[in-house]
Amino acid sequence: NFLCALGVLVLYRTNPSYAYQQATYYFVGLLAMVICIYVIRLIRSFRLLAWPMMLASLALLALPLLIGEEIYGATNWIRVGSLSLQPSEVVKLCLVIVIARFMADQRFWPWLLFAGACLGVLMLQKDLGTALLYFFTTIFLFYASTGNLALTGLGLAGGAGAAIAGYKMFAHVKRRVAIWQNPWSDYDNAGYQIIHSLMAIASGGLFGVGLGLGSPRTIPVYHTDFIFSVICEQFGLIFGCCVLLMYVAIIWRGAAIAMETRTSFQGLLAMGVTTLLGLQTFVIIGGVVKLIPLTGVTMPFVSYGGTSLVSSLCLIGLLQGV
C-alpha cells in the first residue's frame, strides 16, 4: 500500500490525469487481490484447472501477434476500446500457478512445454524483458523444487544461448546493449533516456529537490520505466534506498511464507510469486541506474499502468492466500 500510494503521489505531482487513473486501477487491484486470496484458499490443488489455464494463457499471450500494436520495439499490447491491455501481465498469474502445480506433482514435460511455448511467443513479440522474467522464474522454481544444480546450470546455459540469439536477431536489443555500454555515443537519440535518468538521480542528491520540483518531464516515459528516477530526484537517494528496502521486505516475507507452507504446491506458488516480483524490481531498477541493459518492464506497484498494477496486487493476493 505504501508503494502504491507513492506511485499515485509522484504521478499526481507530475501529471494529475495519470494519478487519477492510477488511483482507479489501485482500487480495482485491491478488489482483485481479495478475490485471489479467496481463490487460493478455496481451490487448494488446481489439478483440474491447470490444463485449461495453460491453453487460455497461450491464447491470450498470442493475441498481440494478431491484433496487437508495437510500442518501443515490442508487439505486446492490445487495445480494447479506450483501454490498453498487456496480456503478458495477466499470464504471469497463470504461469506461477501452473508451473508450481506440475512441479509439485513432479511432472516434468507439461510445465517445460508450457514455459517454452510462452517464451517462444514472447520472442516473436520481441518482448525480451518479460521473457527474461518468465525464464528466470521458471529456472528458480525448478531449482527450488529439485535442488538439481546440473540441470539448473544446463537451463541457464540454454537461456544464455537464447539471449545471444535474441541479440543477433533484434536490432532494438543491439541498440539497448550498445547504449548501456556507452549512452553518450548517441546522446540525442537512443542514449537520451538513460542519460537523463542518471542526471535526475544525481541532481536529487541525498535528500532530493522536493516533491513536485525538479524536471521529471525531461525524462522520457517518466511515468512508467523511469519513475524510480523521478522518486530519487524529488526525494533523494536515501529515500530511494528506503523504497528498495520495502521491496526487500516483501521478498523476505514471501520467502518466509514459502518456507512455512504445508504443501509443496503452496510453497512453490509462494516462491514463484516472490521470485517474479523480486526479479521484476531488479530488472527495472538495474536498468534505470545503468547496472544492466534497460528492458521495458514496470516497477511493481509504483509505475503507471493498470494491467501491471492489478497484476502485481493479484500476485500479492496469491501470496496472502497461501
Side-chain angles (χ1 to χ4, degrees):
N1 282 306
F2 167 78
L3 292 171
C4 292
L6 175 64
V8 173
L9 176 65
V10 172
L11 288 169
Y12 182 77
R13 297 304 299 172
T14 52
N15 191 324
S17 64
Y18 285 154
Y20 294 136
Q21 293 179 47
Q22 188 78 343
T24 303
Y25 294 138
Y26 172 49
F27 287 112
V28 172
L30 286 178
L31 177 62
M33 181 182 73
V34 173
I35 292 172
C36 287
I37 291 173
Y38 282 97
V39 164
I40 293 300
R41 295 186 66 174
L42 295 174
I43 308 174
R44 293 183 177 272
S45 70
F46 282 90
R47 281 192 174 90
L48 297 178
L49 294 175
W51 287 100
M53 288 175 70
M54 287 172 59
L55 296 176
S57 297
L58 289 174
L60 184 60
L61 199 61
L63 206 56
L65 293 175
L66 302 175
I67 58 172
E69 57 184 45
E70 183 175 317
I71 299 177
Y72 299 118
T75 310
N76 56 353
W77 290 86
I78 57 174
R79 188 171 292 279
V80 182
S82 59
L83 299 176
S84 293
L85 175 70
Q86 193 171 3
S88 60
E89 290 288 340
V90 181
V91 175
K92 280 179 185 176
L93 306 173
C94 297
L95 181 81
V96 292
I97 293 173
V98 169
I99 291 179
R101 178 67 272 164
F102 284 120
M103 284 187 177
D105 292 339
Q106 298 183 349
R107 298 174 65 184
F108 182 80
W109 289 109
W111 69 259
L112 181 63
L113 292 174
F114 176 57
C118 288
L119 291 174
V121 173
L122 291 171
M123 289 289 283
L124 290 175
Q125 295 175 0
K126 303 178 184 178
D127 188 2
L128 301 188
T130 305
L132 186 70
L133 297 181
Y134 280 30
F135 172 76
F136 277 106
T137 299
T138 304
I139 286 291
F140 193 88
L141 281 180
F142 173 74
Y143 179 72
S145 65
T146 65
N148 192 318
L149 277 173
L151 286 179
T152 302
L154 187 63
L156 289 172
I164 293 172
Y167 173 79
K168 293 182 178 295
M169 289 168 58
F170 304 129
H172 74 284
V173 177
K174 289 182 179 179
R175 187 165 58 250
R176 285 184 177 181
V177 172
I179 290 305
W180 169 62
Q181 292 174 327
N182 182 15
W184 294 97
S185 63
D186 193 10
Y187 169 80
D188 291 329
N189 295 300
Y192 188 85
Q193 287 182 315
I194 189 65
I195 288 174
H196 278 268
S197 169
L198 296 174
M199 289 170 65
I201 294 172
S203 66
L206 290 178
F207 303 105
V209 297
L211 178 62
L213 303 178
S215 305
R217 288 177 175 271
T218 62
I219 310 170
V221 289
Y222 62 88
H223 55 296
T224 53
D225 293 9
F226 289 95
I227 196 166
F228 184 71
S229 304
V230 179
I231 291 171
C232 289
E233 180 183 34
Q234 297 190 359
F235 295 100
L237 279 172
I238 294 176
F239 186 86
C241 291
C242 291
V243 170
L244 294 182
L245 288 176
M246 297 294 290
Y247 286 104
V248 171
I250 294 173
I251 296 166
W252 187 284
R253 185 63 187 141
I257 291 171
M259 297 294 288
E260 294 168 3
T261 53
R262 296 180 179 180
T263 67
S264 57
F265 166 66
Q266 291 180 343
L268 289 169
L269 178 59
M271 189 59 73
V273 168
T274 304
T275 302
L276 195 53
L277 289 172
L279 281 172
Q280 186 168 336
T281 303
F282 170 76
V283 167
I284 185 58
I285 300 297
V288 165
V289 301
K290 201 179 165 294
L291 178 65
I292 60 175
L294 183 69
T295 55
V297 299
T298 54
M299 186 174 171
F301 311 108
V302 180
S303 290
Y304 171 76
T307 316
S308 173
L309 180 57
V310 173
S311 171
S312 297
L313 287 170
C314 284
L315 288 173
I316 292 294
L318 297 180
L319 190 59
Q320 292 187 87
V322 171

